[in-house]
Amino acid sequence: GGYQSLVQAEGSQIPFTNGYFNSAVSNSVLEHIPDIDAILFETQRVLNPGAPFIFCVPNHQLLPELSIARLFDGIRIHKLANAYRNFFNRIARHYHADPPEIWEERLTRAGFQIERWWHYFSPQATAVMEWGHYFGLPSLVSRWLTGHWILVPERWNLGITYRLVKPYYDQDPVMDSGTYTFFITRRSE
């Protein structure tokens, strides 16, 4: 009941006319799409001139900040560190963890102007997210066995997790060391 309608479509073939929408939001999705340029051009097409396009993506600092890879680098096992980074990128299905300059080139080509951007998600928060992948494996087993990610989806059941991760997700932007970037852009007039 949260939507008036729901449409599923390829991101490069959105079934709406030119200038149909007054805004677009993407929350940590664009990094998972191989042909990102087609998506950006199509997003631009369906937005009104001047409409905002707001999104966030991991950036070029994500892989260097992975804690397990940093451990391997610290003990000078660089091949294993790089293998781990490749493994993590593969299981996260990332195609684009790029710096703002690369995003600016893409966005400009597609007809967007960046109003502002900032990094967020500190290296410490990145470690919590990284380890969350592994501590989440019991939920994967639960999903396979029962069809549900969380067996008891009640606030009390997630209380410990909430208290442990809140200090990391409730942080101020970290301009220099953040591993994710938040963009506010507009479709060019």
Side-chain angles (χ1 to χ4, degrees):
Y3 302 97
Q4 289 180 344
S5 66
L6 185 61
V7 176
Q8 180 177 345
E10 288 291 324
S12 60
Q13 299 173 340
I14 301 172
F16 291 92
T17 59
N18 295 352
Y20 189 84
F21 294 104
N22 290 323
S23 65
V25 175
S26 173
N27 185 3
S28 293
V29 172
L30 298 176
E31 68 270 19
H32 303 293
I33 301 170
D35 185 10
I36 194 63
D37 289 331
I39 303 304
L40 294 175
F41 278 100
E42 187 68 353
T43 302
Q44 186 268 0
R45 182 189 70 76
V46 297
L47 284 174
N48 280 317
F53 174 40
I54 300 169
F55 67 96
C56 57
V57 287
N59 64 39
H60 62 293
Q61 299 176 130
L62 174 66
L63 295 178
E65 288 295 344
L66 293 173
S67 65
I68 294 172
R70 290 176 65 199
L71 172 73
F72 290 141
D73 280 335
I75 57 176
R76 300 178 192 270
I77 309 175
H78 301 298
K79 283 188 178 183
L80 196 52
N82 289 332
Y84 176 76
R85 287 181 178 107
N86 290 334
F87 163 76
F88 189 88
N89 218 24
R90 190 173 68 252
I91 66 167
R93 294 180 173 99
H94 289 161
Y95 293 95
H96 309 284
D98 300 316
E101 298 79 23
I102 299 293
W103 281 103
E104 183 174 22
E105 290 172 15
R106 286 183 185 124
L107 291 161
T108 299
R109 274 195 315 268
F112 289 99
Q113 297 172 329
I114 296 177
E115 286 191 0
R116 55 181 230 202
W117 62 265
W118 60 90
H119 294 318
Y120 68 100
F121 222 64
S122 68
Q124 297 82 8
T126 301
V128 170
M129 179 268 304
E130 174 188 0
W131 282 93
H133 282 75
Y134 308 116
F135 285 113
L137 286 175
S139 293
L140 182 60
V141 172
S142 170
R143 173 79 171 159
W144 285 337
L145 295 175
T146 69
H148 300 282
W149 287 103
I150 300 172
L151 292 178
V152 183
E154 299 293 333
R155 188 169 179 90
W156 63 264
N157 186 39
L158 301 171
I160 293 172
T161 302
Y162 173 78
R163 280 191 293 276
L164 288 173
V165 302
K166 185 179 188 307
Y168 300 100
Y169 76 71
D170 200 12
Q171 295 178 336
D172 291 330
V174 281
M175 279 309 283
D176 294 330
S177 62
T179 59
Y180 281 68
T181 308
F182 196 98
F183 289 90
I184 298 177
T185 73
R186 288 200 180 273
R187 180 187 163 182
S188 300
E189 296 286 337

